[in-house]
Amino acid sequence: MDQPKNGQIIRDVRNIFICLNYDLFEISNKMQSVDNYSEFDDFEFLVMSLEDRRFLRHCGYDFKACLREIFKFLSRRRHGGASTIDMQMVRTITNFRDLTFYRKLYEIILSILVNYKFSKKQIIRCYLKNAFFGTRLYGYEAAASKTFNKQFESLDYYEKAFLAAMLLRPKPLVENEKWRQSVIIRAMYAQRMRVFVK
């Protein structure tokens, strides 16, 4: 009776390793065009201030944030997903959408592996090059062009904060004042929180 179960476990583990290898290959392909040399810029720090303030200190997942969200869940308070920038990059490149415990665990494992293989600069830059900023807007350069009619390099600090805020509040197909106000409020929050990113 135990032999078929053991065979199934071996097949499941082998399939997980195959998936991890395939997804790491996909991520490696996306990393090829990512700059690993220049220093972090204002935009990247603003994104960290909104999405993952401990980004530079953890190895792919934020243990403290996970504990906090588990505690909120158990105490029936409103809780988030505790996703790090690393995990969001993995989800963006691999197109994970399942809201299951298995997928979350797989995402964490892949994020840790990505941290051993790539630098934090590569991870955040790969994420921002491919992230969803709104309807038909993928990547920060497209978002800058469509939102402000400018090249990304020409954006001022406030405009960069606005783009960073769009990661949580993507641009709808038809812009409206409610959306714009919610992004402005989050952009102002990003500018205040920027000092806490180290």
Side-chain angles (χ1 to χ4, degrees):
M1 285 290 284
D2 285 341
Q3 204 164 1
K5 279 187 181 177
N6 290 340
Q8 183 61 45
I9 290 168
I10 290 167
R11 281 193 295 276
D12 289 345
V13 170
R14 188 181 64 207
N15 287 339
I16 289 168
F17 278 113
I18 290 169
C19 288
L20 283 169
N21 191 51
Y22 176 80
D23 288 332
L24 278 171
F25 180 76
E26 285 289 306
I27 290 166
S28 295
N29 280 343
K30 294 284 185 181
M31 289 288 186
Q32 287 178 2
S33 61
V34 174
D35 168 31
N36 189 30
Y37 301 105
S38 61
E39 293 304 311
F40 289 109
D41 65 18
D42 286 334
F43 179 55
E44 289 158 351
F45 280 119
L46 287 162
V47 170
M48 288 180 223
S49 73
L50 288 176
E51 304 289 318
D52 184 1
R53 284 197 283 279
R54 286 192 285 270
F55 172 68
L56 297 173
R57 298 196 301 268
H58 62 63
C59 64
Y61 80 103
D62 189 339
F63 185 68
K64 287 182 182 176
C66 287
L67 283 180
R68 183 191 66 229
E69 295 306 320
I70 289 168
F71 179 74
K72 283 183 183 176
F73 174 75
L74 293 174
S75 58
R76 297 174 189 259
R77 289 189 291 156
R78 188 177 171 197
H79 58 281
S83 286
T84 61
I85 287 171
D86 318 70
M87 291 163 70
Q88 291 175 56
M89 187 274 290
V90 163
R91 195 178 310 128
T92 298
I93 304 302
T94 59
N95 204 26
F96 290 163
R97 290 293 175 261
D98 297 352
L99 297 173
T100 63
F101 177 75
Y102 167 77
R103 273 301 184 191
K104 198 69 169 176
L105 188 59
Y106 182 85
E107 201 176 276
I108 289 170
I109 292 167
L110 195 49
S111 297
I112 292 168
L113 292 173
V114 162
N115 264 261
Y116 281 109
K117 192 169 169 64
F118 304 105
S119 72
K120 287 290 188 180
K121 289 175 186 175
Q122 288 173 297
I123 290 167
I124 194 169
R125 288 168 186 169
C126 184
Y127 170 56
L128 294 173
K129 262 187 116 161
N130 296 282
F132 179 70
F133 285 86
T135 308
R136 294 192 287 271
L137 285 182
Y138 290 91
Y140 66 94
E141 290 172 331
S145 176
K146 291 287 183 183
T147 306
F148 298 108
N149 202 23
K150 290 182 181 180
Q151 295 292 313
F152 176 78
E153 294 74 23
S154 304
L155 298 184
D156 62 30
Y157 190 70
Y158 166 76
E159 290 166 336
K160 287 178 180 179
F162 191 95
L163 276 194
M166 284 172 61
L167 286 165
L168 185 68
R169 309 260 191 272
K171 189 175 184 180
L173 184 59
V174 179
E175 278 189 46
N176 57 66
E177 193 55 31
K178 185 179 177 185
W179 169 78
R180 182 165 286 279
Q181 284 306 311
S182 71
V183 177
I184 288 169
I185 289 165
R186 190 160 169 80
M188 288 165 62
Y189 177 75
Q191 292 172 80
R192 290 198 305 274
M193 291 291 104
R194 162 69 181 87
V195 295
F196 296 106
V197 178
K198 293 174 184 172

